[in-house]
């Protein structure tokens, strides 16, 4: 019997509080992207990776400013 697990965002193994904060920021931005698209399903990974890129770039720019 094959059971398909529900779709989830990619899991990130984290143990540091700043890593958890970063993951929360990515999750929040991914949801914003989902809403901007009109809550159209089927783009979870695209939203996640796009959000991760945006949040990471923002953090890098802040750190180097």
């Amino acid at each position: 019997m094959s059971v398909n697990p529900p779709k989830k965002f990619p899991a990130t193994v984290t143990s540091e509080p700043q890593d958890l904060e970063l993951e929360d920021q990515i999750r929040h931005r991914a949801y914003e992207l989902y809403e901007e698209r009109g809550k159209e399903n089927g783009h979870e990974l695209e939203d996640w990776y796009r959000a991760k890129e945006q949040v990471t770039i923002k953090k890098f720019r802040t750190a180097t400013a």
Side-chain angles (χ1 to χ4, degrees):
M1 176 182 348
S2 175
V3 177
N4 294 328
K7 290 183 181 180
K8 294 182 180 180
F9 289 115
T12 304
V13 177
T14 59
S15 58
E16 300 295 323
Q18 65 268 19
D19 292 339
L20 293 174
E21 179 182 332
L22 178 62
E23 188 172 337
D24 285 343
Q25 291 173 355
I26 295 168
R27 185 178 293 111
H28 180 76
R29 181 62 187 136
Y31 188 77
E32 289 175 341
L33 293 169
Y34 165 73
E35 289 183 316
E36 289 172 10
R37 187 183 308 98
K39 297 184 178 181
E40 180 184 330
N41 292 325
H43 301 274
E44 295 86 0
L45 286 176
E46 177 186 343
D47 290 344
W48 181 265
Y49 288 119
R50 191 167 156 209
K52 183 177 180 180
E53 179 181 35
Q54 291 174 359
V55 169
T56 303
I57 288 171
K58 183 178 177 182
K59 281 202 165 287
F60 177 75
R61 288 183 179 160
T62 303
T64 59

